[in-house]
Amino acid sequence: MWDTLLFYLAHAFVWKALIVGVLIALCSSLLGVTLVLKRFSFIGDGLSHVAFGAMAIASVMKLTNQMVLILPVTVLCAVLLLRTGQNAKIKGDAAIAMISVGALAFGYLIMNVFSASANISGDVCSTLFGSFSILTLTDAEVWLCVALSASVILIFIVFYHKIFAVTFDETFAKATGIQTGAYQLLIAVVIALIIVLAMNLVGSLLISALVIFPALSAMRLFYQFKSVTIASAILSVTCAVAGMLISILKGTPVGSTIVAVDVAVFAACCLLGWCQRRLGR
Amino acid sequence: MSCLTVKDLKVGYDGHAVAEGISFQVNAGDYLCIVGENGSGKSTLIRTLLHLQEPISGEILYGEDLKRGEIGYLPQQTVVQRDFPASVREIVLSGCLPHIGIRPFYGKAEKELAAENMERMGITPLANRCYRDLSGGQQQRVLLARALCATKKCLLLDEPVAGLDPKVTAELYELIERLNKEGVTILMISHDVGGILSYCSHVLHIGKKVYFGTKEEYLNSSAGKAFLAVQEGGRD
Ligand SMILES: Nc1ncnc2c1ncn2[C@@H]1O[C@H](COP(=O)(O)OP(=O)(O)OP(=O)(O)O)[C@@H](O)[C@H]1O
Ligand SMILES: [Mg+2]
């Protein structure tokens, strides 16, 4: 097995995939706590469907760099969803459902009607569940991904304390003069960036798993915002690397393997947390 | 010296008034108690004072030395998600956020301020505990310490003692009184009229008839007597 692994690691494309995978896993775990606790998870889910729709349009238009379309569309939708969500709570949920299901349906429709490809269902399946495209990344795609993840990480570090305050108690933050609206916008834009990034790795249906599982696992074991954030970043990266190596060795689909590892780690963390509490008392 | 002046204020939601004709003045160092029945608009008034919502009409004037964001706030109900992972220290520190402006991290001054306020509230031993595992009284102290980090001048407290037992209530009142003696202006909503009237200096009564005056004036006014009678009656 080691030999096979070393054989693969001698190839540049495997390293590219690993670098991109680690970066995406790191980014997606950072905002996990915020997303899980702020009940933003459904926005993440909705946006991933929007990204799928945008990708369908981009592939029909035969854009060489699909990001040019997917990125602005998803960011725009993130901002729109947040706005409607603030105005009326119940309508906000409905708006998200409408946009996400609508985007999904239109994406599939467009792909079916206009696509020249012979293997439509294969295309659709790979956009939904991730493909091996992560193993065929061009240098330009790798750099774009590095740049995007670097900015996500930078934004998160610079605004860490503000994000904490806005997530923990928005009313208090607002009362003390913090521009909560602006930070929410920032969070929404960053979520959109993460989703577009993560789509490469696990496909649009599995993105939420990548965002949510590491945070939930870390929350079983730690009780401070800082330690939960650090732990979920470490867990997410470890799971991503493990998942990618397994998928390379066994030839399983990349995205689902990573998510499967995430789920297994979550179960382990639940057990550990349970033991921890038992021993603590 | 006046730090907050309110003139003929009308507050409410979506243009629909909840309370109107509110006029009062708070001077630095005052201890104002806001009383009134459930649903009379006390919390709405506080939220309006904090710019969390717009007044329907009327004026709110802040004193020169009381800038926006220099008011500490203790909400009636803090809607914190049940399993939010946050330690006491992290929460108290988050009160210092207005001071750091565009800087990304807390400096030494903010950390010292947070430590000082945790000491003041007697929660230093809890610093690394998780907020959601604390008792109601301990949680209130944490939020009070956070509010104190945001301000040195003025605190708005919305029913800080709701749901606390008599002993903890008395302790919290004493803490608040000590803060007031140290020069912090206090505006506090409370239903515990009997307990609160021994501490405060002024009373604002919100209801169909708005009353504002010093504690002595209030106790002798018809509004005050009527309200106290109802409250006492309710207690028997
Ligand atoms: N978000 C809201 N939208 C519309 N109406 C509201 C909203 N919040 C409160 N109200 C209404 O405004 C009125 C005043 O509410 P408020 O919370 O200010 O009362 P209160 O004096 O603080 O009462 P309590 O003593 O129970 O805390 C109530 O009739 C309430 O139904
Ligand atoms: Mg109230």
Side-chain angles (χ1 to χ4, degrees):
Chain A
M1 197 175 95
W2 274 113
D3 293 340
T4 342
L5 203 59
L6 286 178
F7 167 76
Y8 277 114
L9 287 183
H11 290 72
F13 75 89
V14 176
W15 279 106
K16 276 190 217 161
L18 280 175
I19 291 172
V20 169
V22 164
L23 283 175
I24 291 175
L26 186 60
C27 290
S28 58
S29 67
L30 288 181
L31 275 175
V33 181
T34 313
L35 255 100
V36 171
L37 293 170
K38 264 290 174 184
R39 305 291 182 262
F40 270 149
S41 8
F42 53 86
I43 289 195
D45 215 36
L47 284 181
S48 57
H49 295 172
V50 170
F52 168 78
M55 190 182 230
I57 296 176
S59 58
V60 166
M61 283 163 71
K62 297 210 170 49
L63 294 178
T64 36
N65 194 346
Q66 304 192 330
M67 285 285 190
V68 194
L69 186 76
I70 301 174
L71 201 56
V73 168
T74 316
V75 170
L76 192 76
C77 279
V79 174
L80 278 178
L81 283 181
L82 204 77
R83 276 286 136 84
T84 49
Q86 269 168 348
N87 289 345
K89 285 169 199 114
I90 308 161
K91 280 184 206 150
D93 280 4
I96 289 166
M98 265 159 52
I99 293 187
S100 78
V101 180
L104 203 59
F106 267 99
Y108 185 56
L109 197 65
I110 288 174
M111 273 192 153
N112 249 307
V113 175
F114 295 105
S115 179
S117 160
N119 182 10
I120 295 166
S121 50
D123 284 355
V124 171
C125 200
S126 64
T127 29
L128 284 180
F129 293 105
S131 58
F132 290 97
S133 67
I134 184 125
L135 296 177
T136 57
L137 290 171
T138 64
D139 280 351
E141 282 169 328
V142 174
W143 282 117
L144 181 68
C145 178
V146 170
L148 281 181
S149 10
S151 35
V152 167
I153 294 168
L154 197 71
I155 290 175
F156 184 78
I157 292 175
V158 168
F159 293 103
Y160 170 80
H161 289 293
K162 276 120 185 163
I163 292 176
F164 171 77
V166 172
T167 323
F168 178 71
D169 189 347
E170 199 188 329
T171 321
F172 180 83
K174 204 170 168 193
T176 49
I178 308 293
Q179 299 292 325
T180 49
Y183 290 118
Q184 290 220 317
L185 206 65
L186 186 80
I187 293 175
V189 170
V190 172
I191 292 173
L193 283 183
I194 290 172
I195 281 167
V196 172
L197 269 175
M199 208 153 115
N200 284 323
L201 187 62
V202 294
S204 54
L205 273 189
L206 297 178
I207 289 173
S208 301
L210 205 61
V211 173
I212 290 167
F213 273 112
L216 284 177
S217 307
M219 278 161 61
R220 299 288 127 192
L221 299 178
F222 296 96
Y223 302 99
Q224 301 193 3
F225 194 69
K226 201 175 189 176
S227 15
V228 167
T229 306
I230 294 173
S232 71
I234 293 173
L235 284 178
S236 177
V237 168
T238 319
C239 291
V241 171
M244 286 170 77
L245 290 182
I246 293 174
S247 102
I248 290 171
L249 287 177
K250 303 282 174 203
T252 49
V254 185
S256 358
T257 315
I258 294 178
V259 173
V261 175
D262 271 322
V263 174
V265 167
F266 174 69
C269 284
C270 282
L271 197 69
L272 260 172
W274 185 76
C275 296
Q276 197 186 35
R277 277 194 302 278
R278 269 298 158 100
L279 292 176
R281 296 255 158 88
Chain B
M1 189 193 56
S2 144
C3 73
L4 179 64
T5 311
V6 171
K7 285 184 196 151
D8 198 26
L9 187 70
K10 192 194 253 187
V11 297
Y13 298 90
D14 307 318
H16 181 75
V18 173
E20 50 193 318
I22 305 169
S23 301
F24 63 94
Q25 188 178 3
V26 182
N27 295 325
D30 277 0
Y31 191 149
L32 173 71
C33 178
I34 303 172
V35 296
E37 289 159 19
N38 284 134
S40 53
K42 304 181 296 297
S43 300
T44 313
L45 171 66
I46 292 265
R47 290 174 55 82
T48 313
L49 293 181
L50 286 165
H51 296 285
L52 291 173
Q53 61 187 78
E54 290 300 309
I56 296 176
S57 66
E59 259 188 299
I60 306 172
L61 300 168
Y62 292 91
E64 278 151 26
D65 56 341
L66 194 68
K67 288 192 287 291
R68 184 177 172 188
E70 279 199 314
I71 304 181
Y73 174 46
L74 190 68
Q76 179 167 12
Q77 274 170 341
T78 309
V79 263
V80 177
Q81 258 87 31
R82 224 180 51 83
D83 33 42
F84 200 106
S87 69
V88 168
R89 180 178 287 116
E90 284 175 320
I91 292 169
V92 175
L93 253 179
S94 76
C96 298
L97 199 63
H99 306 319
I100 65 172
I102 55 164
R103 269 189 293 141
F105 302 109
Y106 295 114
K108 213 171 160 214
E110 285 85 26
K111 285 182 183 148
E112 271 165 15
L113 182 66
E116 188 186 308
N117 284 322
M118 284 198 282
E119 194 63 50
R120 248 165 136 184
M121 291 296 114
I123 50 171
T124 310
L126 305 175
N128 289 320
R129 289 276 299 275
C130 180
Y131 176 78
R132 63 165 199 261
D133 294 342
L134 301 180
S135 78
Q138 290 169 329
Q139 288 187 342
Q140 287 298 60
R141 282 167 191 243
V142 174
L143 297 184
L144 206 54
R146 175 182 68 166
L148 281 171
C149 284
T151 181
K152 287 189 175 58
K153 291 171 186 152
C154 186
L155 276 182
L156 265 62
L157 312 173
D158 196 341
E159 300 197 28
V161 299
L164 303 184
D165 74 30
K167 182 167 164 283
V168 180
T169 302
E171 279 172 18
L172 203 63
Y173 279 150
E174 251 144 52
L175 270 176
I176 296 168
E177 198 194 12
R178 210 170 67 221
L179 294 175
N180 182 240
K181 292 239 168 76
E182 287 166 18
V184 184
T185 312
I186 309 267
L187 275 75
M188 171 152 104
I189 296 180
S190 184
H191 285 292
D192 179 20
V193 185
I196 188 75
L197 283 182
S198 49
Y199 296 103
C200 68
S201 63
H202 292 75
V203 176
L204 174 67
H205 182 128
I206 304 223
K208 287 200 189 69
K209 262 190 69 189
V210 176
Y211 182 87
F212 172 68
T214 63
K215 180 171 70 180
E216 289 73 27
E217 288 167 358
Y218 180 70
L219 288 175
N220 291 321
S221 72
S222 55
K225 280 186 180 138
F227 189 63
L228 279 179
V230 173
Q231 291 284 317
E232 295 299 324
R235 204 168 289 169
D236 292 339

